[in-house]
Amino acid sequence: MKILVPVKRVVDYNVKIRVKPDGSGVDLANVKMSMNPFDEIAIEEALRLKEAGKATEVVAVSIGAAKSEETLRTALAMGADRAILVEVEGIVEPLSVAKILKGIASEENPDLMILGKQAIDDDANQTGQMLSALLGWSQATFASKVEIGDGSADVTREVDGGLQTISVKLPAIVTTDLRLNEPRYASLPNIMKAKKKPLDKKTPGDYGVDVAPRLEVIKTEEPGGRKAGVKVGSVSELVDKLKNEAGVL
Ligand code: AMP
């Protein structure tokens, strides 16, 4: 069984985001970038399936600027077998990513594609769902457990207030939730080995995909600052403020 894992290079989750002064987006100058955390979980899950003898090959894919090669090298250092980089400068919207991934799926014929549930840069939560629709494959989103059976996968999903287990036919699209696993760190020897693992370079044109944006970002804003608190003199004053000012009682 072959598993394809799309990984996105995003602003590191520890970085405090700065919005560009003109509100056109997030300032990426001199900002630490890393693999999208949900994609690390996706790679980890694919590797565990390989280690359990359920999968034979794990292929990492990234669509983005040339520097996304670093993200793919991280996936290779974690244990992926090979990588495909589809080079695109500028923003690539989820629909274009899904179309490119469809093209790669048609060439690679994976049995399973594991994506993150969302990329933490624009929180779109769209790519896996769009890809499943374009391919006509089953989808199991927000996975917290994946068990591979004979031609199918049982996936436990995190839903509001509980868990739901569904069975999907392979090939399928799975998207990862936070509790699926804890990704491993790449060891130094594996980081060195990853430099020699195969990495193919492609362009959107190789898959006949036009990546011109279809969405227009109207405005990007920082969250509003928190207002200072006030000290109240008594319980009755607190209750009065909760009732008449905050409107929560
Ligand atoms: P999104 O729909 O943008 O929130 O992204 C959901 C998931 O799709 C991510 O966690 C990745 O697995 C995958 N993905 C999105 N954009 C890219 C990209 N540019 N390259 C590779 N994978 C991507």
Side-chain angles (χ1 to χ4, degrees):
M1 182 168 91
K2 188 195 277 190
I3 307 180
L4 223 78
V5 184
V7 295
K8 187 174 187 188
R9 180 173 183 264
V10 297
V11 173
D12 188 90
Y13 72 97
N14 285 310
V15 168
K16 174 142 181 10
I17 298 293
R18 287 186 318 264
V19 170
K20 286 187 196 163
D22 65 0
S24 63
V26 167
D27 189 356
L28 296 180
N30 303 318
V31 167
K32 181 175 183 229
M33 306 289 281
S34 302
M35 187 189 300
N36 181 43
F38 293 107
D39 305 351
E40 287 184 356
I41 296 174
I43 289 281
E44 177 66 34
E45 195 62 19
L47 295 176
R48 289 188 190 188
L49 288 171
K50 190 178 169 198
E51 285 157 2
K54 304 269 185 195
T56 45
E57 193 182 24
V58 176
V59 184
V61 181
S62 197
I63 296 138
K67 284 212 159 167
S68 304
E69 177 167 347
E70 288 168 13
T71 313
L72 286 171
R73 292 284 170 209
T74 305
L76 294 169
M78 286 172 76
D81 298 288
R82 60 188 172 87
I84 302 169
L85 170 62
V86 183
E87 265 188 63
V88 185
E89 286 306 325
I91 288 170
V92 209
E93 292 172 355
L95 181 60
S96 306
V97 172
K99 287 179 181 171
I100 293 171
L101 291 175
K102 180 189 177 200
I104 298 176
S106 325
E107 280 182 0
E108 294 279 343
N109 294 311
D111 303 279
L112 188 64
M113 290 178 78
I114 311 181
L115 291 82
K117 73 166 176 182
Q118 73 197 59
I120 61 163
D121 48 4
D122 47 21
D123 284 341
N125 174 229
Q126 294 174 357
T127 310
Q129 294 88 328
M130 285 176 168
L131 177 60
S132 140
L134 291 174
L135 286 167
W137 292 6
S138 342
Q139 60 171 302
T141 49
F142 310 111
S144 62
K145 189 171 173 197
V146 177
E147 281 182 316
I148 303 295
D150 192 12
S152 68
D154 286 354
V155 180
T156 302
R157 309 181 54 239
E158 302 214 353
V159 294
D160 253 3
L163 298 172
Q164 176 192 57
T165 303
I166 58 170
S167 175
V168 289
K169 249 188 21 208
L170 298 180
I173 307 292
V174 169
T175 73
T176 62
D177 216 321
L178 205 58
R179 277 162 285 270
L180 180 59
N181 60 49
E182 269 195 35
R184 68 196 65 190
Y185 289 103
S187 65
L188 194 56
N190 286 345
I191 293 173
M192 301 313 286
K193 270 193 229 155
K195 294 187 184 187
K196 297 210 177 92
K197 287 191 180 176
L199 187 147
D200 263 6
K201 291 195 179 163
K202 301 278 193 180
T203 67
D206 293 335
Y207 305 100
V209 177
D210 170 12
V211 294
R214 286 158 173 77
L215 304 173
E216 185 194 350
V217 175
I218 297 172
K219 198 160 61 165
T220 312
E221 288 174 285
E222 306 241 358
R226 219 174 138 217
K227 281 200 207 139
V230 286
K231 257 193 179 162
V232 289
S234 66
V235 172
S236 56
E237 195 188 337
L238 172 66
V239 172
D240 178 64
K241 281 190 181 297
L242 289 175
K243 251 191 204 158
N244 301 317
E245 285 180 24
V248 292
L249 286 182

